[in-house]
Amino acid sequence: MLALLYPKQYVSSLFDVDPDDLLRRGIRGILFDLDNTIVPRDVSRCPREITAWLEKLKQHGFKICIVSNNNTQRVRLVADALAVPAVCHAIKPLKRPFRRAMELMGTGPHETAIIGDQIFTDILGGNRLGLYTVLVSPLPGREFWATRLFNRRMEKFVLSRLKKRSYW
Ligand SMILES: [Mg+2]
């Protein structure tokens, strides 16, 4: 069970993700979590430097799709501005939203990565389907109260275990 919580890669910033490394791994499609991954939670648009970085990924030939547990209105606003497809009300870590997102990108599990800031939604869901999972430190900003109260505490515990094992 614990193995399903381990990301394949851990980065402190989105900009540390190396597109060439992903290509070498055979990745063609990248799923992005929305809140605290590409957009701070209390903001309604993607910061300019992240938008530019996502454009660079598109130029590299990657398909991109947003998978978010947040509501349609918020997710669509960001996705439309970026001109990428999105799966809203995703209920990660269920498998279905990840499958739907891969369908939208036309990629299979072994050529798909998920980049997100939460172990218990993004990483667990991605690992359940055999995706290449990348955990990124959350963007600064206010968080959903339940995330702060439950998930972050559990994550601290898991991350400390991983660091002790010098997993990365
Ligand atoms: Mg998030």
Short mmCIF file of all heavy atoms in Angstrom, two decimals, residues 57-107:
data_model
loop_
_atom_site.label_atom_id
_atom_site.label_comp_id
_atom_site.label_asym_id
_atom_site.label_seq_id
_atom_site.Cartn_x
_atom_site.Cartn_y
_atom_site.Cartn_z
N LEU A 57 6.02 23.08 -23.10
CA LEU A 57 5.75 21.63 -23.13
C LEU A 57 4.96 21.25 -24.38
O LEU A 57 5.21 20.23 -25.01
CB LEU A 57 4.96 21.21 -21.88
CG LEU A 57 5.71 21.24 -20.56
CD1 LEU A 57 4.79 20.80 -19.44
CD2 LEU A 57 6.95 20.34 -20.60
N LYS A 58 3.99 22.10 -24.73
CA LYS A 58 3.20 21.83 -25.95
C LYS A 58 4.12 21.83 -27.17
O LYS A 58 3.98 21.00 -28.06
CB LYS A 58 2.12 22.90 -26.13
CG LYS A 58 0.94 22.78 -25.19
CD LYS A 58 -0.10 23.80 -25.62
CE LYS A 58 -1.12 24.09 -24.56
NZ LYS A 58 -1.96 25.27 -24.89
N GLN A 59 5.06 22.80 -27.18
CA GLN A 59 5.99 22.86 -28.31
C GLN A 59 6.89 21.64 -28.39
O GLN A 59 7.33 21.25 -29.46
CB GLN A 59 6.83 24.14 -28.22
CG GLN A 59 6.06 25.38 -28.64
CD GLN A 59 6.69 26.66 -28.14
OE1 GLN A 59 7.85 26.66 -27.72
NE2 GLN A 59 5.94 27.74 -28.16
N HIS A 60 7.14 21.03 -27.22
CA HIS A 60 7.91 19.78 -27.18
C HIS A 60 7.09 18.61 -27.74
O HIS A 60 7.59 17.51 -27.87
CB HIS A 60 8.32 19.45 -25.75
CG HIS A 60 9.68 19.95 -25.38
ND1 HIS A 60 9.94 21.26 -25.07
CD2 HIS A 60 10.86 19.30 -25.25
CE1 HIS A 60 11.21 21.40 -24.78
NE2 HIS A 60 11.81 20.23 -24.89
N GLY A 61 5.80 18.85 -27.96
CA GLY A 61 4.93 17.81 -28.52
C GLY A 61 4.09 17.08 -27.50
O GLY A 61 3.39 16.13 -27.83
N PHE A 62 4.15 17.52 -26.23
CA PHE A 62 3.34 16.84 -25.21
C PHE A 62 1.88 17.22 -25.33
O PHE A 62 1.54 18.38 -25.59
CB PHE A 62 3.80 17.25 -23.80
CG PHE A 62 5.14 16.70 -23.40
CD1 PHE A 62 6.25 17.52 -23.37
CD2 PHE A 62 5.27 15.37 -23.06
CE1 PHE A 62 7.49 17.02 -23.00
CE2 PHE A 62 6.51 14.86 -22.69
CZ PHE A 62 7.61 15.68 -22.66
N LYS A 63 1.01 16.23 -25.11
CA LYS A 63 -0.41 16.50 -24.91
C LYS A 63 -0.57 16.89 -23.45
O LYS A 63 0.12 16.32 -22.59
CB LYS A 63 -1.25 15.26 -25.19
CG LYS A 63 -1.07 14.71 -26.58
CD LYS A 63 -2.08 15.30 -27.50
CE LYS A 63 -2.05 14.58 -28.84
NZ LYS A 63 -2.13 15.50 -29.94
N ILE A 64 -1.48 17.79 -23.17
CA ILE A 64 -1.68 18.25 -21.80
C ILE A 64 -3.17 18.19 -21.46
O ILE A 64 -4.01 18.49 -22.31
CB ILE A 64 -1.16 19.69 -21.63
CG1 ILE A 64 0.37 19.69 -21.67
CG2 ILE A 64 -1.64 20.32 -20.32
CD1 ILE A 64 0.99 21.07 -21.62
N CYS A 65 -3.47 17.77 -20.22
CA CYS A 65 -4.86 17.79 -19.77
C CYS A 65 -4.86 18.10 -18.27
O CYS A 65 -3.98 17.64 -17.54
CB CYS A 65 -5.52 16.43 -20.03
SG CYS A 65 -7.27 16.35 -19.58
N ILE A 66 -5.81 18.90 -17.83
CA ILE A 66 -5.95 19.20 -16.40
C ILE A 66 -6.92 18.20 -15.77
O ILE A 66 -7.95 17.89 -16.37
CB ILE A 66 -6.48 20.64 -16.21
CG1 ILE A 66 -5.42 21.66 -16.68
CG2 ILE A 66 -6.85 20.91 -14.75
CD1 ILE A 66 -5.90 23.10 -16.70
N VAL A 67 -6.56 17.68 -14.62
CA VAL A 67 -7.46 16.79 -13.88
C VAL A 67 -7.61 17.39 -12.48
O VAL A 67 -6.66 17.42 -11.72
CB VAL A 67 -6.89 15.37 -13.74
CG1 VAL A 67 -7.91 14.45 -13.09
CG2 VAL A 67 -6.49 14.82 -15.09
N SER A 68 -8.81 17.87 -12.18
CA SER A 68 -8.97 18.58 -10.91
C SER A 68 -10.22 18.12 -10.18
O SER A 68 -11.25 17.85 -10.79
CB SER A 68 -9.07 20.08 -11.18
OG SER A 68 -9.41 20.77 -10.00
N ASN A 69 -10.11 18.08 -8.87
CA ASN A 69 -11.28 17.77 -8.04
C ASN A 69 -12.17 19.00 -7.86
O ASN A 69 -13.24 18.89 -7.29
CB ASN A 69 -10.84 17.27 -6.65
CG ASN A 69 -10.28 15.86 -6.70
OD1 ASN A 69 -10.31 15.21 -7.74
ND2 ASN A 69 -9.79 15.38 -5.58
N ASN A 70 -11.71 20.13 -8.35
CA ASN A 70 -12.48 21.37 -8.16
C ASN A 70 -13.66 21.45 -9.16
O ASN A 70 -13.80 20.62 -10.05
CB ASN A 70 -11.55 22.58 -8.29
CG ASN A 70 -11.97 23.70 -7.35
OD1 ASN A 70 -13.16 23.94 -7.14
ND2 ASN A 70 -11.00 24.40 -6.78
N ASN A 71 -14.47 22.49 -9.01
CA ASN A 71 -15.71 22.59 -9.79
C ASN A 71 -15.47 23.05 -11.23
O ASN A 71 -14.44 23.63 -11.56
CB ASN A 71 -16.70 23.52 -9.09
CG ASN A 71 -16.18 24.94 -9.01
OD1 ASN A 71 -15.92 25.57 -10.04
ND2 ASN A 71 -15.99 25.45 -7.81
N THR A 72 -16.47 22.79 -12.06
CA THR A 72 -16.38 23.04 -13.50
C THR A 72 -16.03 24.49 -13.81
O THR A 72 -15.18 24.75 -14.65
CB THR A 72 -17.73 22.70 -14.17
OG1 THR A 72 -18.11 21.39 -13.76
CG2 THR A 72 -17.63 22.73 -15.69
N GLN A 73 -16.67 25.42 -13.10
CA GLN A 73 -16.48 26.84 -13.42
C GLN A 73 -15.01 27.24 -13.25
O GLN A 73 -14.42 27.86 -14.13
CB GLN A 73 -17.37 27.67 -12.50
CG GLN A 73 -17.52 29.08 -12.99
CD GLN A 73 -18.22 29.95 -11.96
OE1 GLN A 73 -18.56 29.51 -10.86
NE2 GLN A 73 -18.42 31.20 -12.32
N ARG A 74 -14.44 26.85 -12.11
CA ARG A 74 -13.05 27.24 -11.83
C ARG A 74 -12.08 26.55 -12.80
O ARG A 74 -11.18 27.17 -13.35
CB ARG A 74 -12.68 26.89 -10.39
CG ARG A 74 -11.19 27.05 -10.11
CD ARG A 74 -10.88 27.10 -8.64
NE ARG A 74 -9.44 27.04 -8.36
CZ ARG A 74 -8.61 28.05 -8.48
NH1 ARG A 74 -9.05 29.22 -8.91
NH2 ARG A 74 -7.33 27.93 -8.20
N VAL A 75 -12.31 25.27 -13.02
CA VAL A 75 -11.39 24.49 -13.84
C VAL A 75 -11.44 24.96 -15.30
O VAL A 75 -10.42 25.15 -15.95
CB VAL A 75 -11.68 22.98 -13.72
CG1 VAL A 75 -10.76 22.18 -14.63
CG2 VAL A 75 -11.53 22.52 -12.27
N ARG A 76 -12.66 25.19 -15.80
CA ARG A 76 -12.83 25.59 -17.21
C ARG A 76 -12.18 26.95 -17.49
O ARG A 76 -11.59 27.17 -18.54
CB ARG A 76 -14.32 25.65 -17.58
CG ARG A 76 -14.92 24.29 -17.82
CD ARG A 76 -15.11 23.98 -19.31
NE ARG A 76 -13.88 24.01 -20.07
CZ ARG A 76 -13.23 22.94 -20.50
NH1 ARG A 76 -13.68 21.74 -20.25
NH2 ARG A 76 -12.12 23.05 -21.21
N LEU A 77 -12.31 27.84 -16.51
CA LEU A 77 -11.72 29.18 -16.66
C LEU A 77 -10.23 29.07 -16.95
O LEU A 77 -9.71 29.71 -17.87
CB LEU A 77 -11.96 29.96 -15.37
CG LEU A 77 -11.73 31.47 -15.44
CD1 LEU A 77 -12.77 32.13 -16.33
CD2 LEU A 77 -11.78 32.08 -14.03
N VAL A 78 -9.56 28.23 -16.19
CA VAL A 78 -8.10 28.07 -16.36
C VAL A 78 -7.81 27.28 -17.64
O VAL A 78 -6.97 27.67 -18.45
CB VAL A 78 -7.49 27.35 -15.14
CG1 VAL A 78 -6.00 27.11 -15.36
CG2 VAL A 78 -7.73 28.14 -13.87
N ALA A 79 -8.54 26.18 -17.83
CA ALA A 79 -8.27 25.30 -18.97
C ALA A 79 -8.51 26.02 -20.29
O ALA A 79 -7.72 25.90 -21.23
CB ALA A 79 -9.14 24.04 -18.88
N ASP A 80 -9.59 26.81 -20.37
CA ASP A 80 -9.90 27.53 -21.60
C ASP A 80 -8.82 28.57 -21.91
O ASP A 80 -8.42 28.74 -23.06
CB ASP A 80 -11.28 28.20 -21.52
CG ASP A 80 -12.41 27.17 -21.55
OD1 ASP A 80 -12.11 25.99 -21.85
OD2 ASP A 80 -13.55 27.54 -21.26
N ALA A 81 -8.35 29.25 -20.86
CA ALA A 81 -7.30 30.26 -21.06
C ALA A 81 -6.02 29.60 -21.58
O ALA A 81 -5.27 30.20 -22.34
CB ALA A 81 -7.03 30.99 -19.75
N LEU A 82 -5.78 28.35 -21.18
CA LEU A 82 -4.57 27.64 -21.61
C LEU A 82 -4.81 26.84 -22.89
O LEU A 82 -3.87 26.26 -23.44
CB LEU A 82 -4.11 26.68 -20.51
CG LEU A 82 -3.62 27.30 -19.19
CD1 LEU A 82 -3.42 26.21 -18.14
CD2 LEU A 82 -2.31 28.06 -19.41
N ALA A 83 -6.07 26.78 -23.31
CA ALA A 83 -6.46 25.98 -24.48
C ALA A 83 -6.06 24.52 -24.32
O ALA A 83 -5.45 23.91 -25.22
CB ALA A 83 -5.87 26.57 -25.76
N VAL A 84 -6.39 23.95 -23.15
CA VAL A 84 -6.16 22.52 -22.93
C VAL A 84 -7.45 21.88 -22.42
O VAL A 84 -8.28 22.56 -21.81
CB VAL A 84 -5.01 22.26 -21.91
CG1 VAL A 84 -3.69 22.79 -22.42
CG2 VAL A 84 -5.33 22.84 -20.53
N PRO A 85 -7.64 20.57 -22.66
CA PRO A 85 -8.83 19.90 -22.12
C PRO A 85 -8.73 19.72 -20.61
O PRO A 85 -7.64 19.85 -20.04
CB PRO A 85 -8.83 18.54 -22.83
CG PRO A 85 -7.41 18.31 -23.24
CD PRO A 85 -6.80 19.66 -23.44
N ALA A 86 -9.86 19.42 -19.98
CA ALA A 86 -9.85 19.26 -18.52
C ALA A 86 -10.91 18.26 -18.08
O ALA A 86 -11.94 18.10 -18.73
CB ALA A 86 -10.11 20.60 -17.85
N VAL A 87 -10.63 17.58 -16.98
CA VAL A 87 -11.62 16.74 -16.31
C VAL A 87 -11.88 17.40 -14.96
O VAL A 87 -10.96 17.56 -14.15
CB VAL A 87 -11.09 15.30 -16.12
CG1 VAL A 87 -12.12 14.45 -15.37
CG2 VAL A 87 -10.75 14.67 -17.47
N CYS A 88 -13.15 17.81 -14.74
CA CYS A 88 -13.50 18.53 -13.51
C CYS A 88 -14.20 17.56 -12.54
O CYS A 88 -14.58 16.46 -12.94
CB CYS A 88 -14.46 19.67 -13.80
SG CYS A 88 -14.14 20.52 -15.36
N HIS A 89 -14.40 17.97 -11.32
CA HIS A 89 -15.03 17.10 -10.30
C HIS A 89 -14.43 15.70 -10.36
O HIS A 89 -15.16 14.70 -10.39
CB HIS A 89 -16.55 17.00 -10.55
CG HIS A 89 -17.28 18.29 -10.38
ND1 HIS A 89 -17.48 18.87 -9.15
CD2 HIS A 89 -17.85 19.11 -11.29
CE1 HIS A 89 -18.15 20.00 -9.31
NE2 HIS A 89 -18.39 20.17 -10.60
N ALA A 90 -13.13 15.64 -10.41
CA ALA A 90 -12.47 14.38 -10.76
C ALA A 90 -12.56 13.29 -9.68
O ALA A 90 -12.51 12.11 -10.00
CB ALA A 90 -11.00 14.65 -11.08
N ILE A 91 -12.69 13.68 -8.43
CA ILE A 91 -12.68 12.71 -7.32
C ILE A 91 -11.43 11.83 -7.37
O ILE A 91 -11.51 10.59 -7.23
CB ILE A 91 -13.96 11.83 -7.26
CG1 ILE A 91 -15.19 12.61 -7.73
CG2 ILE A 91 -14.18 11.33 -5.83
CD1 ILE A 91 -16.50 11.86 -7.59
N LYS A 92 -10.25 12.45 -7.58
CA LYS A 92 -9.00 11.70 -7.45
C LYS A 92 -8.91 11.22 -6.00
O LYS A 92 -9.35 11.94 -5.10
CB LYS A 92 -7.80 12.63 -7.75
CG LYS A 92 -7.72 13.09 -9.18
CD LYS A 92 -6.63 14.13 -9.36
CE LYS A 92 -7.02 15.49 -8.85
NZ LYS A 92 -6.02 16.55 -9.14
N PRO A 93 -8.43 10.07 -5.63
CA PRO A 93 -7.64 9.17 -6.47
C PRO A 93 -8.42 8.09 -7.23
O PRO A 93 -7.86 7.06 -7.56
CB PRO A 93 -6.72 8.52 -5.43
CG PRO A 93 -7.59 8.38 -4.21
CD PRO A 93 -8.48 9.59 -4.23
N LEU A 94 -9.70 8.28 -7.48
CA LEU A 94 -10.41 7.28 -8.30
C LEU A 94 -9.71 7.16 -9.66
O LEU A 94 -9.12 8.11 -10.16
CB LEU A 94 -11.86 7.69 -8.52
CG LEU A 94 -12.81 7.66 -7.31
CD1 LEU A 94 -14.24 7.94 -7.77
CD2 LEU A 94 -12.75 6.32 -6.58
N LYS A 95 -9.83 5.97 -10.27
CA LYS A 95 -9.14 5.75 -11.55
C LYS A 95 -9.85 6.42 -12.72
O LYS A 95 -9.23 6.81 -13.70
CB LYS A 95 -9.05 4.24 -11.84
CG LYS A 95 -8.09 3.50 -10.94
CD LYS A 95 -8.10 2.02 -11.30
CE LYS A 95 -7.17 1.25 -10.38
NZ LYS A 95 -7.28 -0.21 -10.60
N ARG A 96 -11.17 6.53 -12.60
CA ARG A 96 -11.96 6.97 -13.75
C ARG A 96 -11.53 8.32 -14.34
O ARG A 96 -11.38 8.44 -15.56
CB ARG A 96 -13.45 6.98 -13.39
CG ARG A 96 -14.34 6.97 -14.62
CD ARG A 96 -15.77 6.76 -14.27
NE ARG A 96 -16.22 7.81 -13.35
CZ ARG A 96 -17.48 7.96 -12.97
NH1 ARG A 96 -18.40 7.12 -13.41
NH2 ARG A 96 -17.84 8.91 -12.14
N PRO A 97 -11.33 9.36 -13.51
CA PRO A 97 -10.93 10.64 -14.09
C PRO A 97 -9.58 10.58 -14.82
O PRO A 97 -9.39 11.27 -15.83
CB PRO A 97 -10.86 11.58 -12.88
CG PRO A 97 -10.78 10.69 -11.69
CD PRO A 97 -11.51 9.45 -12.06
N PHE A 98 -8.68 9.76 -14.34
CA PHE A 98 -7.37 9.62 -15.01
C PHE A 98 -7.57 8.94 -16.36
O PHE A 98 -6.96 9.33 -17.36
CB PHE A 98 -6.41 8.79 -14.14
CG PHE A 98 -5.99 9.47 -12.87
CD1 PHE A 98 -6.74 9.36 -11.71
CD2 PHE A 98 -4.83 10.24 -12.83
CE1 PHE A 98 -6.35 9.99 -10.54
CE2 PHE A 98 -4.43 10.88 -11.67
CZ PHE A 98 -5.19 10.75 -10.52
N ARG A 99 -8.41 7.93 -16.38
CA ARG A 99 -8.70 7.23 -17.66
C ARG A 99 -9.34 8.18 -18.65
O ARG A 99 -9.01 8.19 -19.83
CB ARG A 99 -9.63 6.04 -17.40
CG ARG A 99 -8.94 4.91 -16.67
CD ARG A 99 -9.68 3.60 -16.95
NE ARG A 99 -9.04 2.49 -16.26
CZ ARG A 99 -9.57 1.84 -15.24
NH1 ARG A 99 -10.77 2.16 -14.80
NH2 ARG A 99 -8.91 0.86 -14.67
N ARG A 100 -10.29 8.96 -18.15
CA ARG A 100 -10.99 9.93 -19.01
C ARG A 100 -9.98 10.93 -19.60
O ARG A 100 -10.03 11.25 -20.79
CB ARG A 100 -12.07 10.65 -18.18
CG ARG A 100 -12.74 11.80 -18.87
CD ARG A 100 -13.82 11.32 -19.85
NE ARG A 100 -14.32 12.42 -20.65
CZ ARG A 100 -14.27 12.46 -21.98
NH1 ARG A 100 -13.76 11.47 -22.68
NH2 ARG A 100 -14.75 13.50 -22.64
N ALA A 101 -9.07 11.41 -18.75
CA ALA A 101 -8.08 12.40 -19.20
C ALA A 101 -7.16 11.78 -20.25
O ALA A 101 -6.82 12.43 -21.24
CB ALA A 101 -7.27 12.90 -18.01
N MET A 102 -6.77 10.52 -20.06
CA MET A 102 -5.90 9.85 -21.05
C MET A 102 -6.64 9.68 -22.36
O MET A 102 -6.06 9.79 -23.44
CB MET A 102 -5.41 8.52 -20.49
CG MET A 102 -4.33 8.69 -19.44
SD MET A 102 -3.53 7.14 -19.01
CE MET A 102 -4.72 6.44 -17.88
N GLU A 103 -7.95 9.40 -22.25
CA GLU A 103 -8.78 9.29 -23.45
C GLU A 103 -8.75 10.61 -24.23
O GLU A 103 -8.60 10.62 -25.46
CB GLU A 103 -10.21 9.04 -22.98
CG GLU A 103 -10.97 7.95 -23.68
CD GLU A 103 -12.30 7.78 -22.97
OE1 GLU A 103 -13.23 8.60 -23.21
OE2 GLU A 103 -12.40 6.86 -22.14
N LEU A 104 -8.88 11.70 -23.50
CA LEU A 104 -8.89 13.03 -24.13
C LEU A 104 -7.56 13.33 -24.81
O LEU A 104 -7.50 14.03 -25.82
CB LEU A 104 -9.19 14.12 -23.09
CG LEU A 104 -10.62 14.17 -22.56
CD1 LEU A 104 -10.74 15.15 -21.39
CD2 LEU A 104 -11.61 14.58 -23.66
N MET A 105 -6.46 12.80 -24.24
CA MET A 105 -5.13 13.06 -24.82
C MET A 105 -4.75 12.01 -25.85
O MET A 105 -3.80 12.20 -26.60
CB MET A 105 -4.06 13.09 -23.71
CG MET A 105 -4.24 14.18 -22.68
SD MET A 105 -2.76 14.39 -21.65
CE MET A 105 -2.58 12.76 -20.97
N GLY A 106 -5.44 10.88 -25.81
CA GLY A 106 -5.09 9.77 -26.70
C GLY A 106 -3.79 9.08 -26.30
O GLY A 106 -3.02 8.65 -27.16
N THR A 107 -3.54 8.98 -24.99
CA THR A 107 -2.33 8.31 -24.52
C THR A 107 -2.69 7.14 -23.60
O THR A 107 -3.77 7.11 -23.01
CB THR A 107 -1.42 9.26 -23.72
OG1 THR A 107 -2.14 9.76 -22.58
CG2 THR A 107 -0.95 10.43 -24.57
#
